[in-house]
Amino acid sequence: MKKYILNNGVEIPGIGFGTWRIPGGEDSLKATLEAIEVGYRHIDTAALYETEESVGKAVRACGIPRDELFVTSKVWLDDRGYDKAMKACEASLKALNMDYIDLYLIHWPSYTQYDSDWRAVNNGTWRALEHFYKQGVFRAIGVCNCMPHHIEAIMEDNEIKPSVNQIEFHPCYPQLAAAEFCHNNDILVEAWRPLGKGLILDMPQLKAIADKYGKTTAQVCMRWCLQHDTLPIVKTTHKERMISNVDIWDFELTAEEMAYIDTFPPISWSGQHPDFVNLSGKTARS
Ligand SMILES: NC(=O)c1ccc[n+]([C@@H]2O[C@H](COP(=O)([O-])OP(=O)(O)OC[C@H]3O[C@@H](n4cnc5c(N)ncnc54)[C@H](OP(=O)(O)O)[C@@H]3O)[C@@H](O)[C@H]2O)c1
């Protein structure tokens, strides 16, 4: 499995297993255990997903040493601002039942179009994450769904720079400008929804490329993410798909194929842009 090195020197396994929309409890425990069994070493959870507890149980039960696994969690938008974020960080540690978390992220920045104090709110949340980072409780900290102006504001106003920006990134929504900004600032881009939530896998254009290499369209999507130097976070509850989705090391997309895929229409875009979306409350799930 490819590895990346974050801007603070921490090593991160190059593909993550996503747990969003896997029901918490037995289902996510089983899926996470299976993912670890077949070779995933990087698990992505969030307070919103209600999978922190089962991810924590899987990490303890799987038989792999804790320091060979990488666990990410996130503070949800109900808990923005310093005081609430401090409590949310504690709650994540408790739910995971861990004394440290490898990577902790702000799940969504405050909305620039709706919150006049978005910059101050994001700074408050960020300072809570910095607090746990400085204590060594979070090995790295970062953001999700941020545009360059969000990250610039955090970098200008705070001490520690984000190590990661986890954004929607797939063939039908390649946020190349946001990714380029991150790459130029040594911030790792994680690609959420690398398969376009499974909705793009029947596209004939992808199928033609997959057939050329004898691969699946899902494998082409994963390979495209990696060749854009992003770290895909992929979800499936099927063991055979967990295995095949990461079987992507025996082919390489050409520059022409990469550029062609970059032009695909936004047919499975979530519709969520951090400047215009207003997700409010725990029920507004991305
Ligand atoms: N930071 C954020 O705001 C944010 C937002 C969304 C997601 N995420 C993270 O990113 C992860 C992945 O995103 P996602 O779950 O939305 O989308 P995704 O990984 O692109 O796609 C998952 C969907 O594709 C299906 N699938 C997986 N492998 C397949 C294959 N080989 N063939 C056919 N279908 C396949 C899965 O169904 P089965 O399970 O039935 O196989 C599931 O319905 C999430 O779990 C979460 O950890 C983060």
Side-chain angles (χ1 to χ4, degrees), residues 79-227:
D79 294 316
R80 289 176 182 141
Y82 182 79
D83 292 338
K84 285 202 221 165
M86 287 292 288
K87 288 188 187 138
C89 294
E90 294 283 10
S92 283
L93 285 158
K94 191 168 170 208
L96 282 159
N97 194 6
M98 288 176 180
D99 51 11
Y100 73 92
I101 298 174
D102 298 277
L103 175 65
Y104 203 78
L105 306 174
I106 296 181
H107 207 144
W108 278 90
S110 185
Y111 314 117
T112 37
Q113 298 297 310
Y114 299 94
D115 300 340
S116 55
D117 60 347
W118 63 270
R119 186 170 181 141
V121 174
N122 288 339
N123 282 337
T125 316
W126 186 250
R127 281 178 196 140
L129 271 60
E130 281 187 335
H131 169 86
F132 287 90
Y133 177 74
K134 286 180 192 164
Q135 309 276 317
V137 174
F138 296 162
R139 296 179 65 225
I141 52 177
V143 293
C144 302
N145 301 305
C146 278
M147 296 290 105
H149 52 277
H150 298 110
I151 298 179
E152 273 165 350
I154 287 175
M155 290 196 298
E156 274 166 32
D157 298 349
N158 297 282
E159 213 179 307
I160 294 159
K161 163 177 160 172
S163 288
V164 164
N165 186 18
Q166 186 181 109
I167 55 176
E168 181 171 0
F169 192 93
H170 51 77
C172 291
Y173 196 57
Q175 299 197 65
L176 297 177
E180 189 183 358
F181 170 87
C182 292
H183 290 146
N184 290 340
N185 283 281
D186 196 16
I187 295 169
L188 177 69
V189 176
E190 292 188 350
W192 65 255
R193 198 161 288 174
L195 312 182
K197 209 177 174 182
L199 302 174
I200 62 176
L201 300 180
D202 290 333
M203 281 179 76
Q205 297 91 333
L206 272 180
K207 187 85 177 65
I209 296 172
D211 287 348
K212 174 182 156 190
Y213 293 105
K215 304 301 283 187
T216 67
T217 51
Q219 289 166 335
V220 171
C221 293
M222 295 291 286
R223 187 75 214 182
W224 173 87
C225 287
L226 285 165
Q227 286 185 222

Side-chain angles (χ1 to χ4, degrees), residues 26-51:
E26 287 306 310
D27 289 354
S28 55
L29 175 62
K30 176 173 176 285
T32 308
L33 279 171
E34 282 182 347
I36 295 171
E37 185 195 328
V38 305
Y40 290 78
R41 292 293 176 267
H42 173 176
I43 312 294
D44 186 83
T45 179
L48 174 77
Y49 305 164
E50 296 176 351
T51 54

